[in-house]
Amino acid sequence: MIRFFAAPIAAMGLLLAGAADASAAGMIDFTGTSSTGYLGGGASPIPRSTVMYNGNYAPGTIVVNTAERRLYLVLENGQALRYGIGVGRDGFRWGGVHRITAKKEWPDWTPPSQMLARRPDLPRHMKGGVENPLGARAMYLGSTLYRIHGSNEPETIGQAVSSGCFRMTNDDVTDLYGRVGVGTPVVVLNN
């Protein structure tokens, strides 16, 4: 009787040990919030960091600096969280002040008509998921067509490649998403 149970218990132990080793190596993350790339985006080439920030913005404000290709979440005591972002390519960068009007996890994507006119090969609608270009999270900016969203292409962070949206790695956008709410002011500096 003991032999009958010993083999399955030993096999389960090996399976759990293998999963723990894989998780430690960054291959599996059951929480979906690690910086290992589990969310389908890989690690950012520009690591998130806390920095001193000398701006006249209230804590909780998001400041996007398109020239630096960085997004700042203003904190207390003259600090900010700094994230690397991808910005609009030439002719698609913009500036202004808006607020986050909606937040979505694993959002669906429907390319706007302006984008479809430029790229008729794009799908008319795409369900949310790892392959979706909006990534793990999206924060919609006012009445614009633009979003702060995730990306499954970490190599585009720090680049000017979008049609005006701000791309972050899935890990970074998930972090920011958890820190801000609908109504958060977003200042886009395009200088």
Side-chain angles (χ1 to χ4, degrees), residues 6-72:
I9 290 172
M12 182 61 88
L14 287 172
L15 179 63
L16 291 173
D21 290 344
S23 180
M27 296 168 59
I28 298 174
D29 178 359
F30 296 106
T31 66
T33 58
S34 81
S35 60
T36 61
Y38 174 74
L39 290 174
S44 177
I46 303 168
R48 176 174 64 233
S49 60
T50 302
V51 298
M52 296 306 294
Y53 189 78
N54 192 15
N56 292 324
Y57 302 104
T61 302
I62 293 173
V63 180
V64 175
N65 188 313
T66 59
E68 289 181 15
R69 299 178 186 170
R70 301 293 187 276
L71 180 149
Y72 296 88

Side-chain angles (χ1 to χ4, degrees), residues 69-84:
R69 299 178 186 170
R70 301 293 187 276
L71 180 149
Y72 296 88
L73 175 60
V74 180
L75 305 173
E76 300 282 343
N77 302 319
Q79 295 185 319
L81 274 174
R82 179 176 63 192
Y83 303 84

